[in-house]
Amino acid sequence: MDDFVSESDSDYASYWRDWFISSRGNEYFCEIDEDYLTDRFNLTGLNTEVQYYQYALDLVTDVFDLDCDDDMRESIEKSARHLYGLVHARYIVTTRGLAKMLDKYKKADFGKCPRVHCNSHPLLPMGLADMPGSRPVKLYCGRCEDIYNPKSSRHAAIDGAYFGASFHNIIFQVYPALIPTKSAERYVPRVYGFKMHAAAALVRWQNGHFDEMRRRLRKMDVDHGFKKDEPLFIDDRGDDLDLDDEEDDDIAAEMERFEAGRGIVIGGSGEAVDARE
């Protein structure tokens, strides 16, 4: 905005879109074709989403000629940026918009994946929601299929709704040749060059699994009877758990599979029997 303080109103209006695209922090946006902006069908419903809608549209389409004070101008400018972002989310899923975003993707204008095993694969901007003002923009990597925060605080302040929650998937549907080969490399924990014992990871998983199971049982007001350090399938009285609905049956099946792996089965009397004896 400071670049145009000394310019006349006509120059300011004529270069608004060029100024917006070239401004620092707006590198993720592509330029929307004027024909798309002037087609009222493409703007359906946005008049209720944007304050000073008509003035903002005039500014974006380079026909703004209202003589107003600085405060009013600033409000219209803010509305124009919001309007451009909302239209941008619609434009980038069109044929022309996808092609423009593809060019930026190939040049890695959106950044590169910070994950080491992705080998600096280009990222795509995405939103976690289509509702404006709900979540900021994130970056999606097609190789590891994970999302990341932008490095720059300027980019992190962009509304994710300006890109939408579907664009990053649509572009791979339209250009299937872009779908990258998934990275099979994974980090292997080591101590002095030796791999961490697999049993330790299994125990951690089992402990977490049983902690989650306890929470679910507690939420259903089921007296699980598990000891704190040595969880069992049966309660302290030796009675089977009262598992009568579908969710409880799933929990029981998980517990049976786990206990069977440890060599413990449930006898007819409801007591735990060591199957290895």
Side-chain angles (χ1 to χ4, degrees), residues 167-186:
F167 158 71
H168 63 291
N169 292 319
I170 292 176
I171 195 170
F172 287 126
Q173 292 286 330
V174 176
Y175 302 103
L178 290 179
I179 300 176
T181 303
K182 300 299 180 288
S183 175
E185 296 180 84
R186 293 293 182 270

